[in-house]
Amino acid sequence: MVKYNINQVAEEMDITPEVLREILDLFFEHIDEYMAQLEKEIKNNSLEEIAKSAHKIAGSGGAVQFELVRKLAKEIENSAREKKIIDYKEKFNQLKEMITLYKNLL
């Protein structure tokens, strides 16, 4: 289950909830672009580029404390860096779903 308390996260980050909302707006403004890039790299089966794109998403998710997004993107990144054979498309779909869950919470 996905949980996210803006007030608690803002306090942990030592910022106001209003500032966190602005940061979240920026996250959601850019995440579609990052996800589109990741999807393209998965279709091209370019492991190096998959790792780079997933790294951006992991960092962005971590910055706003979307821990499930960060973990899943990090798993994709590490698998690609290690040239592991996994179902990247399935992981992408899970990541997309996770981002949608967070978005719907807010």
Side-chain angles (χ1 to χ4, degrees):
M1 173 161 213
V2 176
K3 295 180 183 177
Y4 194 81
N5 182 314
I6 287 182
N7 293 326
Q8 181 181 344
V9 172
E11 186 176 321
E12 290 171 7
M13 295 174 77
D14 198 28
I15 59 176
T16 66
E18 293 75 25
V19 170
L20 179 55
R21 285 187 192 283
E22 290 177 25
I23 294 169
L24 289 167
D25 287 344
L26 286 171
F27 172 85
F28 288 116
E29 198 175 297
H30 293 281
I31 198 66
D32 289 339
E33 176 187 332
Y34 297 161
M35 290 293 288
Q37 185 66 36
L38 178 58
E39 185 173 35
K40 175 184 161 201
E41 301 309 345
I42 289 170
K43 285 178 182 173
N44 292 337
N45 201 30
S46 174
L47 294 178
E48 185 176 326
E49 295 305 316
I50 289 170
K52 288 178 186 177
S53 294
H55 180 80
K56 275 187 198 177
I57 294 166
S60 297
V64 293
Q65 294 191 17
F66 287 176
E67 191 57 23
L68 297 173
V69 169
R70 186 198 66 77
K71 282 182 179 179
L72 189 53
K74 198 70 178 160
E75 180 184 340
I76 294 169
E77 176 189 356
N78 290 340
S79 294
R81 287 198 193 288
E82 295 167 12
K83 299 184 180 0
K84 287 185 180 175
I85 307 286
I86 66 166
D87 188 343
Y88 288 100
K89 181 134 180 77
E90 175 61 27
K91 293 292 182 184
F92 172 84
N93 289 334
Q94 291 173 6
L95 185 58
K96 190 173 182 179
E97 196 173 297
M98 206 52 62
I99 290 167
T100 300
L101 287 173
Y102 277 109
K103 192 172 193 174
N104 290 340
L105 277 176
L106 306 170

